[in-house]
Amino acid sequence: MRKLLMSSAALLLLAACDQVQLPSNGSDTVVEQIAADIGTWGFDTEGMDLNYHPGDDFFRYANGIWLDTTEIPSDRSNYGMFTELSIEAEEQVQDIILDLAGRSSDAGSVEQQVGDLYASWMDTETVNSLGITPAQPYLDEIAAAETHSDITALFATIHHQSPFGVGIIPDPADTTRYTVFVGQGGLGLPDREYYLDEENEAYGRYREAYVAFIAEILTLAGAADATSSAQAIMDLETRLAEVHWTQARSRNIQEIYNPMPLDQLNELAPQIDFPAGMAQLSLDSVATYLVAQPSAIEGTGAIFAETAVDTWKDYMTFHFLRSNSGALSAEFDEANFRFYSQTLNGIDEQRPRDRRGVNLVGGQLGEAVGQVYVQRHFPAASKTAMEGLVANLTTAFEGRLQNLEWMDEETRVNALRKLSTFEPRIGYPDEWRDYSALEVRGDDLFGNMMRIVEFQWAEQVADLDGPVDRNQWPYPPQTVNASYNPLMNQITFPAGILQAPFFDPAADAAINYGAIGAVIGHEIGHGFDDQGRRFDFDGSIRDWWTEETNARFLERADRLGAQYSSYSPVEGMYVNGEFTMGENIGDLGGVQMAYTAYRNYVAETYEGGEAPVIDGFTGDQRFFLAWAQVWRRLYTEDNLISRLSTDPHSPSQYRTNGVVRNLDEWYEAFGITEDHALYLPPEERVKIW
């Protein structure tokens, strides 16, 4: 990552700036600058806009010049700190792929698989010359269907589209074993609202474009009346959308936890014949199935029976070609890009094919590439430092729980027990995935993609026969992300995110605590958010809250939700405070935990209990600036519309402003008063954790 060094002129401007009166911490010390990756102490001061007071718009105060002078690349729907790190990781992974591909290797080796998967992707001459031919055997299977029973048999395969989803997950009733998850599905647009919202002009535009896209794909497939078939598919998916649950309802664990035996599942939708389908998929051995949206499954069954076989055949043909367009000739790939990337997300041009190939290999053979990535780009010292930060954040949250005034003792004991059993996973897995059973050929891109799906499904089915494997990771180590798994009570921080601006061993401590520290706190907080709190210390679903403490939590959560529901980043559209509740609680609690951990660090490190001032910024100010910096992001309007419908995270400006305005320490750090736009009276500031 390039270094953002502050010029002498910028230093003078900061020293002379009088827009913000910086409160004194009793020290005028300016410490010797350190060689951080960003700026000189971990923050890009040149990206600030000092024309804004932090109390009026902290997001723009910290990031305004960066926001005004940065453009979203033409091949992106949004751009921010996550993107910068992803691009850096992408370049590093590309070097690894080319290195591995250039080695002489045995069949079935990691080097052979990585090299041949990438080679098959880059061999556009072969891919284009084949056209639709590689998909023809699968299309012939669809064409041969004559009855509804034939269609349900196709639903019970791993390559064909189905109006519901099936997967294998740890059983929430006993997380030492696996069960089968069944949920709503089958839509080609991002969410039910895209079909049903008649007032939003953008959604109407998307619907028209979607019908045209369906017709284009069916025309490429040789359909006789693609326009009529496309409208029939749109009508079918609209009916499915009508019975689908909302995003907010679908994240409510109390609503989606519906274990039932196979015969009861079949009673919901006997038209689908779930017993035959589960047997065909080798999933008929479990005692109970976790059915997420029972009424949606029931409604889907009725719609299935009422819809003509020919419409289902067109539907499955379209979705098969659409979902595999990247492995087909250019006309399919380009049509898919124009709709999903350009129309729905505002992306102007397709990413270079080599970079798309890097992401393909890095995703499908992620841990094979990841082993080399870790060796080259993740020093042992970073893992050690992260382990220390996680321990500090855990200690900080433990202290907050012990002193939480609204939590009674019975609930507190359970909360502390859950916290004590959190399992942090940092950098990379202890055991690497074995890809030796996967066949990859350098001249068969489409076949490779089919075999990868089959390999991955076989791994999942094999899981049913044994205990839950707690060593599995949700993504490879080069991923720029972090996560909490409530069923395993695990927090995971892959190597990809453990770089500046999130984590930099050379940066000021306030930066690391305000950035990766708050991200650590965020993931810990998910174990105690509105849904994570429904899981016990071992990942099992259990209500360990007393009625009184539960009511106090809900009162605070509802007030936070109301705050976020008032935020409107796009005219006529608002953040859904209920849908984004878990992430908003995670953000707020994460910053609270990280701040406590940072103050503990300062008290232990500096005589007098205060960090030195750096470039005119106190330690507390640097802490909050670090949080604002990691959420720098620009969006296309189409992408922002999509996120408001489908992303449980709030847009970046609210992940900054929506959090800090609830924190007394932020008011004190920047001298915020009732005259400022973000000011909330103390009684309106939400304090949960």
Side-chain angles (χ1 to χ4, degrees):
M1 180 181 294
R2 64 188 175 89
K3 297 184 187 297
L4 302 175
L5 299 177
M6 187 161 50
S7 68
S8 298
L11 282 168
L12 289 172
L13 284 173
L14 282 172
C17 176
D18 61 0
Q19 287 98 329
V20 181
Q21 296 298 317
L22 302 177
S24 172
N25 67 350
S27 171
D28 295 322
T29 305
V30 178
V31 301
E32 181 180 352
Q33 300 304 288
I34 48 183
D37 193 45
I38 296 177
T40 53
W41 41 274
F43 183 79
D44 172 27
T45 52
E46 289 187 335
M48 302 176 73
D49 189 343
L50 300 179
N51 291 309
Y52 285 86
H53 191 286
D56 291 328
D57 190 334
F58 189 60
F59 183 67
R60 289 203 65 89
Y61 167 74
N63 302 312
I65 298 300
W66 184 92
L67 294 167
D68 291 340
T69 58
T70 302
E71 293 185 1
I72 301 174
S74 59
D75 60 355
R76 298 280 179 173
S77 64
N78 64 89
Y79 187 80
M81 298 297 96
F82 281 87
T83 323
E84 287 193 2
L85 279 188
S86 295
I87 291 172
E88 182 178 3
E90 195 176 86
E91 293 170 349
Q92 294 164 339
V93 169
Q94 183 166 27
D95 289 341
I96 293 169
I97 290 171
L98 295 176
D99 184 15
L100 295 180
R103 300 179 185 179
S104 176
S105 53
D106 297 329
S109 67
V110 166
E111 291 84 357
Q112 179 268 316
Q113 292 171 320
V114 168
D116 280 354
L117 181 56
Y118 185 71
S120 70
W121 171 264
M122 294 302 295
D123 185 7
T124 54
E125 182 177 349
T126 297
V127 171
N128 288 329
S129 69
L130 291 173
I132 200 173
T133 303
Q136 199 59 55
Y138 302 91
L139 300 180
D140 291 344
E141 289 179 342
I142 298 171
E146 297 180 352
T147 66
H148 279 83
S149 293
D150 293 337
I151 296 296
T152 58
L154 290 174
F155 287 166
T157 64
I158 60 175
H159 292 303
H160 289 298
Q161 177 77 10
S162 168
F164 53 87
V166 175
I168 297 167
I169 64 170
D171 188 343
D174 178 2
T175 55
T176 66
R177 67 186 184 191
Y178 290 99
T179 190
V180 177
F181 173 94
V182 181
Q184 64 189 23
L187 304 183
L189 289 172
D191 181 57
R192 69 190 298 274
E193 301 306 319
Y194 279 69
Y195 297 88
L196 307 180
D197 190 332
E198 298 289 345
E199 297 181 3
N200 189 309
E201 184 177 317
Y203 287 150
R205 174 165 51 86
Y206 299 146
R207 287 192 290 270
E208 290 181 8
Y210 184 48
V211 174
F213 169 59
I214 298 172
E216 182 178 9
I217 293 296
L218 292 178
T219 299
L220 290 172
D225 189 359
T227 301
S228 296
S229 296
Q231 189 58 56
I233 291 170
M234 181 64 175
D235 293 343
L236 167 59
E237 292 190 17
T238 301
R239 290 193 66 192
L240 293 174
E242 289 172 344
V243 302
H244 271 210
W245 290 17
T246 64
Q247 294 275 9
R249 188 181 181 191
S250 292
R251 65 172 295 274
N252 187 326
I253 188 60
Q254 291 179 304
E255 292 227 52
I256 66 172
Y257 181 61
N258 302 288
M260 58 184 69
L262 187 55
D263 58 351
Q264 186 179 349
L265 167 60
N266 197 53
E267 288 174 5
L268 285 177
Q271 308 90 337
I272 303 295
D273 194 0
F274 277 106
M278 292 300 178
Q280 187 174 329
L281 287 167
S282 301
L283 301 179
D284 55 340
S285 62
V286 298
T288 59
Y289 297 74
L290 199 164
V291 182
Q293 300 101 351
S295 64
I297 300 299
E298 183 178 21
T300 296
I303 294 167
F304 170 74
E306 295 164 2
T307 302
V309 169
D310 284 346
T311 298
W312 282 113
K313 291 166 68 173
D314 289 338
Y315 166 89
M316 297 180 80
T317 297
F318 160 68
H319 279 291
F320 182 82
L321 293 171
R322 183 265 307 173
S323 61
N324 292 291
S325 60
L328 294 170
S329 51
E331 58 267 26
F332 290 96
D333 186 40
E334 291 166 2
N336 191 72
F337 167 77
R338 284 192 297 273
F339 178 69
Y340 282 105
S341 297
Q342 284 189 326
T343 300
L344 290 188
N345 281 288
I347 300 174
D348 291 333
E349 63 179 315
Q350 182 94 283
R351 298 205 70 208
R353 190 167 181 89
D354 63 336
R355 287 304 180 87
R356 295 168 63 203
V358 168
N359 286 327
L360 169 68
V361 177
Q364 302 303 333
L365 299 174
E367 289 191 20
V369 174
Q371 294 180 56
V372 184
Y373 175 86
V374 167
Q375 293 170 3
R376 295 184 182 181
H377 303 292
F378 188 60
S382 292
K383 185 178 178 73
T384 300
M386 267 296 293
E387 289 170 345
L389 279 171
V390 171
N392 291 348
L393 264 292
T394 303
T395 298
F397 190 35
E398 181 180 10
R400 296 186 71 90
L401 285 174
Q402 288 170 339
N403 294 289
L404 205 59
E405 51 86 19
W406 58 265
M407 179 174 279
D408 62 36
E409 288 306 311
E410 180 180 341
T411 309
R412 193 189 321 276
V413 167
N414 283 296
L416 289 168
R417 183 179 184 187
K418 181 171 185 176
L419 178 62
S420 71
T421 59
F422 263 62
E423 180 186 346
R425 306 191 301 174
I426 298 168
Y428 50 89
D430 294 330
E431 299 176 8
W432 296 101
R433 193 173 183 182
D434 179 8
Y435 296 94
S436 59
L438 173 64
E439 179 190 0
V440 179
R441 291 169 43 189
D443 60 352
D444 186 15
L445 174 61
F446 192 89
N448 288 337
M449 300 313 298
M450 297 298 104
R451 287 187 290 273
I452 287 170
V453 171
E454 292 158 8
F455 168 77
Q456 293 171 342
W457 181 252
E459 281 190 321
Q460 287 196 60
V461 173
D463 285 341
L464 282 174
D465 295 331
V468 167
D469 182 1
R470 296 183 61 88
N471 292 316
Q472 291 183 357
W473 275 47
Y475 31 63
Q478 61 269 25
T479 307
V480 183
N481 205 342
S483 63
Y484 170 70
N485 183 344
L487 294 170
M488 297 289 98
N489 206 24
Q490 294 170 330
I491 49 177
T492 302
F493 306 96
I497 199 173
L498 302 180
Q499 300 177 64
F502 294 92
F503 174 68
D504 180 0
D508 171 50
I511 299 299
N512 282 323
Y513 275 97
I516 196 63
V519 172
I520 294 168
H522 173 101
E523 301 306 339
I524 293 174
H526 273 316
F528 301 87
D529 68 20
D530 63 318
Q531 300 306 317
R533 72 194 188 95
R534 299 298 182 187
F535 295 83
D536 205 349
F537 63 90
D538 61 357
S540 301
I541 289 182
R542 182 175 76 86
D543 189 357
W544 45 269
W545 293 68
T546 65
E547 184 175 343
E548 182 180 9
T549 294
N550 183 63
R552 291 171 177 169
F553 175 91
L554 292 176
E555 186 274 333
R556 286 160 172 77
D558 288 345
R559 286 197 290 123
L560 187 67
Q563 285 183 16
Y564 279 83
S565 291
S566 71
Y567 300 145
S568 176
V570 177
E571 185 176 357
M573 296 186 72
Y574 291 82
V575 175
N576 184 330
E578 181 184 5
F579 177 40
T580 60
M581 180 70 74
E583 300 299 335
N584 299 334
I585 291 174
D587 283 345
L588 178 59
V591 175
Q592 288 173 314
M593 289 179 229
Y595 180 80
T596 298
Y598 173 63
R599 294 306 305 179
N600 290 344
Y601 165 84
V602 168
E604 295 170 358
T605 305
Y606 297 106
E607 186 176 349
E610 286 297 341
V613 172
I614 301 179
D615 291 338
F617 295 101
T618 67
D620 280 13
Q621 290 169 339
R622 299 193 300 274
F623 171 88
F624 290 114
L625 286 170
W627 174 250
Q629 180 173 245
V630 300
W631 297 117
R632 285 182 175 179
R633 182 176 288 184
L634 296 166
Y635 307 90
T636 66
E637 183 169 317
D638 291 310
N639 181 247
L640 193 51
I641 289 172
S642 175
R643 286 172 178 271
L644 287 173
S645 303
T646 63
D647 190 349
H649 303 84
S650 297
S652 285
Q653 63 264 46
Y654 307 123
R655 300 192 75 170
T656 303
N657 289 344
V659 169
V660 296
R661 67 194 309 231
N662 285 292
L663 301 176
D664 296 341
E665 298 85 356
W666 174 74
Y667 287 81
E668 296 168 6
F670 290 96
I672 311 303
T673 71
E674 62 271 15
D675 296 327
H676 297 121
L678 291 178
Y679 178 84
L680 286 174
E683 65 274 12
E684 294 182 18
R685 299 171 197 170
V686 177
K687 297 177 176 62
I688 300 180
W689 301 115

